[in-house]
Amino acid sequence: MALIDKIKAKAKSDVKHIVLPEGEEIRNVQAAAKIVKEGLAKLTLLGNPAKVREVAPEVDLTGIEIIDPATSEKCAQYAATLYELRKAKGMTEEQAANLVKDPMYYGVMMVKMGDADGLVSGAIHSTGDMLRPALQIIKSKPGIKTVSSCFLMECPDKTYGADGVMVFADCAVNIDPDAEQLANIALGAADSARSLAGIEPKVAMLSFSTKGSAKHDLVTKVQQATAIAHEMAPDLLLDGELQLDAALVEKVGQLKSPGSPVAGKANVLVFPGLESGNIGYKLVQRLAGAEAYGPILQGIAKPCNDLSRGCSVEDIVATVAITAAQAQG
């Protein structure tokens, strides 16, 4: 069974409530009908009900809740809560009242208040516009200081990873993480491997050096991140610093890092920075023909996930299924 089919089956096993703030966008409307038909989630679309129906009049929206944030009866409650959360940062009551009428902020407040279990957006919003309210309002999980992202990668050649399935992090959020941030990214990726991919994580902290073969500040950062991650999660199978071939190829791994429980067996790859992470996942996607699901936010207290502005209807369906699966955790 393909990875996304396993995730969809998980989503169906305990149906969660997901909000789509971009309810007036045609791909979201078309995806919503598919999601409800497949039983992947209970859905709320945000937007003017007439406009939501106008963009795809052929789509049957039976069973899908449509809420207009501009006229919602919950605006006053949401605004009061948002003001209390952000007044120390200078937010006024008037600003809070105006912000909750924005579908993105309204959707995040739904998740914050427990009126939805997760959120998916980004078809017409930038990653920054999607992340800002989520980080301001929902914030990170207890004990996790860094919200990051991962991609679930499924390679047709099943030589590497867990039957071809791997987790790559961070490929979309943190540009130049320091050692502590990198350790938090590793722990988030391990959690994503367990909860979404259903695999026991074997985490490789990647570098251009293996076990001190090169000397540089960038190598030192990965070494420090490895030590911090071990302190935070001593039972986690995690090793570093490792070059990519040492992480994936058993013969090379045991030559360069003999006795390592991860070298040559890694299924979670933690990249040292966004440049390498973003380039790395796209190389595997394009050259190896891998399916790449993400970016999936990890480390956030409640699931909120971003879409590419070039996403397809099926991409939205998959991301909602992933978000619903995350919400079960």
Side-chain angles (χ1 to χ4, degrees), residues 258-328:
S260 168
V262 172
K265 306 168 188 173
N267 53 30
V268 177
L269 302 183
V270 178
F271 293 84
L274 190 59
E275 276 188 317
S276 57
N278 192 268
I279 293 167
Y281 101 79
K282 288 181 178 178
L283 275 172
V284 175
Q285 181 186 33
R286 299 300 178 182
L287 298 186
E291 292 289 346
Y293 300 103
I296 300 161
L297 289 187
Q298 52 190 26
I300 197 162
K302 295 185 178 181
C304 296
N305 282 314
D306 188 27
L307 297 164
S308 163
R309 276 174 280 183
C311 65
S312 66
V313 170
E314 288 305 323
D315 290 335
I316 299 173
V317 173
T319 304
V320 167
I322 289 167
T323 307
Q326 283 180 306
Q328 294 175 0

Side-chain angles (χ1 to χ4, degrees), residues 7-8 10-11 14 16 18 40 117-120 130 141 147-150 152 188-189 191-197 293-306 318-329:
I7 293 172
K8 285 182 176 182
K10 182 175 172 65
D14 181 12
K16 297 299 181 182
I18 307 300
L40 299 175
D117 298 307
L119 175 148
V120 172
M130 181 268 171
K141 289 180 180 178
V147 173
S148 60
S149 74
C150 73
L152 301 181
D191 183 60
S192 295
R194 289 192 194 96
S195 62
L196 294 176
Y293 300 103
I296 300 161
L297 289 187
Q298 52 190 26
I300 197 162
K302 295 185 178 181
C304 296
N305 282 314
D306 188 27
T319 304
V320 167
I322 289 167
T323 307
Q326 283 180 306
Q328 294 175 0

